[in-house]
Amino acid sequence: MKTIMEIEKSIIKKYRKEIYQRFVRAIKDFSLIEEGDHICVCISGGKDSFLLAKCLQELKKHSKYQFNLTYLVMNPGYTEENLKKIKENANILNIPIIIKDSNIFEVIKEIDNPCYLCARMRRGCLYSMAKELGCNKIALGHHFNDVIETILLNQLYNGQFSGMMPILDSDNFEGMKLIRPLFYIHEKDILSWVKNSELSFLDCACIVTKKNSGKRKVVKELINDLVKLYPNSDINLFNSMFNVNPNTTRKINK
């Protein structure tokens, strides 16, 4: 395993173009962080949220404005083994996590299609816990591939054009915002960073559904096939979220 200094250096050196520059660009393009922010970095235990934490730590060292970071692990009911893995990785990466428990997995285990409800409950818990910790923003580790998968998921399964925005105001928690600083970063580059760092993270920690099952897996495979046929199709999907023609997209009353 690489040392923490080697891992941190790789983000701003070896992966500067693929990861750090894209991370900084998203923050600048969408004004994700402002002077005086207190950001709750939401750690799920996967590669994306841990990379997000390290990028934000690095930014804080060099930023021209002041902001605070709190690292929250919202435990929805992880197994002891998975919770131990999260703690070990946080220790390796020098991330001072706070763990708060919830009973989300227990609540959704008897539901036929639990993923949607789980996502909503997790989001609500994160906002609530972040507010208790004095934060005004929550940061999630969604990346480029999550964005385009969400666009297709909504079109194919919900019949609507709806994406995953880099910054959102909370509907239910006044003054709270959600930010996604990994918005421009491709998953393949995150995987490369993980391999180079000689780390291993939780893949799927859900105890309710089977690993790599469901609609998102289908859409991920579909996008991979599309990219093989049309190399820029993933980029075009991403850009479509910002190139909506209102004259050709409207609701028709039937």
Side-chain angles (χ1 to χ4, degrees), residues 37-103:
D37 276 346
H38 187 172
I39 301 167
C40 179
V41 188
C42 303
I43 308 288
S44 66
K47 65 187 188 312
D48 309 323
S49 58
F50 271 114
L51 174 62
L52 171 63
K54 294 310 298 178
C55 286
L56 284 168
Q57 279 185 339
E58 192 63 38
L59 181 68
K60 186 171 170 58
K61 292 178 188 175
H62 308 290
S63 177
K64 63 183 179 182
Y65 42 80
Q66 296 295 314
F67 62 93
N68 293 315
L69 299 171
T70 294
Y71 307 91
L72 172 66
V73 175
M74 190 277 294
N75 175 18
Y78 294 137
T79 64
E80 285 300 319
E81 180 183 6
N82 284 337
L83 201 55
K84 180 182 177 183
K85 183 67 174 176
I86 293 173
K87 292 176 182 178
E88 287 174 349
N89 280 329
N91 185 56
I92 290 168
L93 292 171
N94 194 26
I95 299 171
I97 59 173
I98 295 171
I99 300 175
K100 287 184 173 286
D101 297 331
S102 74
N103 65 341

Side-chain angles (χ1 to χ4, degrees), residues 37-197:
D37 276 346
H38 187 172
I39 301 167
C40 179
V41 188
C42 303
I43 308 288
S44 66
K47 65 187 188 312
D48 309 323
S49 58
F50 271 114
L51 174 62
L52 171 63
K54 294 310 298 178
C55 286
L56 284 168
Q57 279 185 339
E58 192 63 38
L59 181 68
K60 186 171 170 58
K61 292 178 188 175
H62 308 290
S63 177
K64 63 183 179 182
Y65 42 80
Q66 296 295 314
F67 62 93
N68 293 315
L69 299 171
T70 294
Y71 307 91
L72 172 66
V73 175
M74 190 277 294
N75 175 18
Y78 294 137
T79 64
E80 285 300 319
E81 180 183 6
N82 284 337
L83 201 55
K84 180 182 177 183
K85 183 67 174 176
I86 293 173
K87 292 176 182 178
E88 287 174 349
N89 280 329
N91 185 56
I92 290 168
L93 292 171
N94 194 26
I95 299 171
I97 59 173
I98 295 171
I99 300 175
K100 287 184 173 286
D101 297 331
S102 74
N103 65 341
I104 292 176
F105 285 169
E106 182 68 24
V107 171
I108 67 168
K109 69 180 182 180
E110 303 299 331
I111 298 174
D112 290 336
N113 297 299
C115 296
Y116 175 75
L117 179 60
C118 180
R120 286 182 62 87
M121 290 182 68
R122 288 166 72 105
R123 186 74 53 81
C125 280
L126 289 172
Y127 274 125
S128 179
M129 292 174 180
K131 197 158 190 175
E132 287 177 7
L133 292 167
C135 302
N136 67 309
K137 290 178 180 176
I138 64 171
L140 303 183
H142 295 129
H143 49 65
F144 172 91
N145 296 82
D146 291 322
V147 174
I148 60 175
E149 288 164 17
T150 299
I151 292 171
L152 268 190
L153 274 166
N154 283 321
Q155 289 184 12
L156 295 176
Y157 295 105
N158 299 327
Q160 65 180 22
F161 188 87
S162 178
M164 181 180 276
M165 300 306 293
I167 184 166
L168 289 171
D169 290 312
S170 171
D171 292 330
N172 301 313
F173 294 85
E174 187 177 353
M176 296 287 290
K177 293 179 184 289
L178 179 155
I179 61 173
R180 295 183 170 105
L182 304 188
F183 194 68
Y184 289 139
I185 299 174
H186 292 238
E187 187 175 29
K188 65 180 177 63
D189 295 318
I190 300 176
L191 289 168
S192 178
W193 171 75
V194 170
K195 184 178 180 180
N196 180 75
S197 301

